[in-house]
Amino acid sequence: MHLKKPLWSAALKETREPSSEAEPQPQQPSSSMATAVDELVNSLNKQRLYREVTLALRTSLRDARAEFSFLRLRGLRSLLNFLRSVAQSDSTINLFCQTQSLPDLQVVPVLFQNSLKEGEEEQNVESLSHVFGVEPMRITSPSTDAEIALALRVLEGCCLLHRESTVFAHQYKAIQVLMRILSTRGVLEKSACLDALISIMLDSSPNQLDFEACNGIEEVTVVIRDKQVDENLRLKCGEFMLLLIGHLNGRERAPMPSIHEDVRRLLGEKSASLIWAASQFGSTVDPEQRLMALQIQARRVLESLDLY
């Protein structure tokens, strides 16, 4: 979504700047006229921006619902570019949040109904009605690795920009779906899955409880302890543990009270203590330095594990 400056904006702006040859006007009428023009321009801009946002969503979601994977992939790319554009200003973020109250424009349900939909079991053909019937049988191509990874990135963006999207994700059992991806898919999908898990669990007690019920900590520690796994994926798991524990630390009645004991049991006393201490890096640091500190601490966690 790339907005161009409307042609009428400049024309209306000129009405607020009288030419030097024009006769001087009284101050009060000129000031009131400029205010009226400003209000008109702002109103027209808001209406136009809303139309642009809804049009971009409708177009992308239409492809994201398609039966063929290459069309869904195109729709997901458009959605991801759309979310990146939306995140640039508070006004567009507010508009996006408003659109998510409309069922036809909600992004998260489309993701779980299509790209992140679990593979259907082979259908037992007990009837040939679909062969002799008038309506053709609908065939949907399975999701590719790239499509699943991109859908997870879109899910992450939606939950970070619109907190109610975590509620939609919970309704579609997002934690169970993502844990299945983490245990069965490739490195590309697993890396995107860890980022999506963090985004849907932030300030969402139901999703955190689901994560605990699915033994999520144990699943992540299995990956982080496996030296045969790609090192970048192991580092991503270390970052996930640091972010999750850092988010839960200091909260009253945390949904996962046994997380520290679980980490100590699964990774050992030394690694658990290192994760707890490293997760305390403050939010006062600027984002770039905080990201660098997170990566350094995640590598130290891996090194503490590799010593045993």
Side-chain angles (χ1 to χ4, degrees):
M1 183 186 68
H2 301 285
L3 297 178
K4 296 181 179 180
K5 190 175 181 180
L7 297 177
W8 44 260
S9 179
L12 288 175
K13 185 177 180 180
E14 291 178 357
T15 61
R16 294 175 294 173
E17 301 176 357
S19 61
S20 59
E21 299 178 356
E23 296 181 359
Q25 299 292 332
Q27 183 65 24
Q28 185 62 28
S30 176
S31 177
S32 60
M33 178 180 179
T35 303
V37 171
D38 285 338
E39 293 177 354
L40 176 60
V41 171
N42 291 335
S43 176
L44 292 174
N45 275 328
K46 288 181 180 178
Q47 294 177 21
R48 178 173 177 272
L49 189 59
Y50 184 80
R51 289 196 300 269
E52 291 285 349
V53 168
T54 54
L55 177 62
L57 272 176
R58 291 186 189 279
T59 304
S60 301
L61 289 175
R62 180 188 59 199
D63 286 340
R65 294 187 183 99
E67 299 176 1
F68 299 103
S69 180
F70 75 94
L71 288 177
R72 296 196 299 269
L73 197 60
R74 184 177 68 181
L76 292 172
R77 288 196 187 101
S78 298
L79 282 172
L80 192 57
N81 291 332
F82 165 79
L83 292 174
R84 287 170 178 167
S85 179
V86 163
Q88 294 178 2
S89 69
D90 293 338
S91 60
T92 50
I93 291 176
N94 291 333
L95 284 177
F96 171 70
C97 293
Q98 292 176 21
T99 61
Q100 294 309 287
S101 63
L102 304 175
D104 292 342
L105 298 180
Q106 291 173 354
V107 178
V108 172
V110 173
L111 298 178
F112 285 99
Q113 291 169 0
N114 296 274
S115 298
L116 299 179
K117 185 178 181 180
E118 297 190 24
E120 298 179 356
E121 301 290 338
E122 294 185 1
Q123 298 179 354
N124 296 325
V125 182
E126 299 178 354
S127 173
L128 296 179
S129 58
H130 67 279
V131 176
F132 299 105
V134 177
E135 296 183 0
M137 185 177 182
R138 178 178 178 179
I139 300 177
T140 303
S141 61
S143 301
T144 62
D145 295 346
E147 180 186 345
I148 292 176
L150 204 56
L152 291 170
R153 294 299 180 190
V154 174
L155 174 63
E156 176 190 2
C158 288
C159 292
L160 291 177
L161 293 176
H162 178 237
R163 298 313 305 167
E164 291 299 320
S165 288
T166 61
V167 178
F168 300 151
H170 177 68
Q171 294 173 354
Y172 285 89
K173 300 180 179 180
I175 295 295
Q176 291 88 330
V177 174
L178 268 60
M179 295 309 301
R180 174 181 56 82
I181 293 174
L182 187 63
S183 61
T184 60
R185 307 295 300 197
V187 175
L188 180 66
E189 305 95 288
K190 288 180 178 180
S191 180
C193 181
L194 290 167
D195 290 334
L197 276 171
I198 283 293
S199 67
I200 67 176
M201 286 197 293
L202 288 178
D203 299 323
S204 176
S205 297
N207 285 325
Q208 292 175 13
L209 292 174
D210 286 350
F211 183 75
E212 185 178 31
C214 292
N215 298 318
I217 291 294
E218 184 173 355
E219 292 290 338
V220 175
T221 55
V222 167
V223 178
I224 199 174
R225 291 180 64 90
D226 189 353
K227 298 181 181 180
Q228 303 299 321
V229 174
D230 181 80
E231 184 178 1
N232 291 327
L233 181 59
R234 295 180 68 203
L235 285 171
K236 179 68 73 173
C237 289
E239 294 174 7
F240 172 86
M241 299 287 288
L242 290 167
L243 289 172
L244 179 60
I245 294 178
H247 177 70
L248 295 177
N249 276 340
R251 294 180 177 272
E252 298 181 358
R253 293 178 296 179
M256 295 187 289
S258 64
I259 185 171
H260 295 290
E261 183 61 32
D262 293 339
V263 173
R264 186 179 296 108
R265 174 175 54 86
L266 295 168
L267 297 181
E269 181 68 33
K270 183 175 181 180
S271 297
S273 299
L274 179 60
I275 290 176
W276 184 88
S279 65
Q280 304 302 310
F281 58 88
S283 58
T284 57
V285 186
D286 67 79
E288 292 184 2
Q289 292 181 359
R290 189 159 64 247
L291 178 59
M292 185 178 300
L294 177 65
Q295 294 171 347
I296 293 173
Q297 298 297 346
R299 184 166 294 279
R300 288 179 180 174
V301 172
L302 257 63
E303 291 173 353
S304 69
L305 290 171
D306 292 342
L307 292 176
Y308 299 95

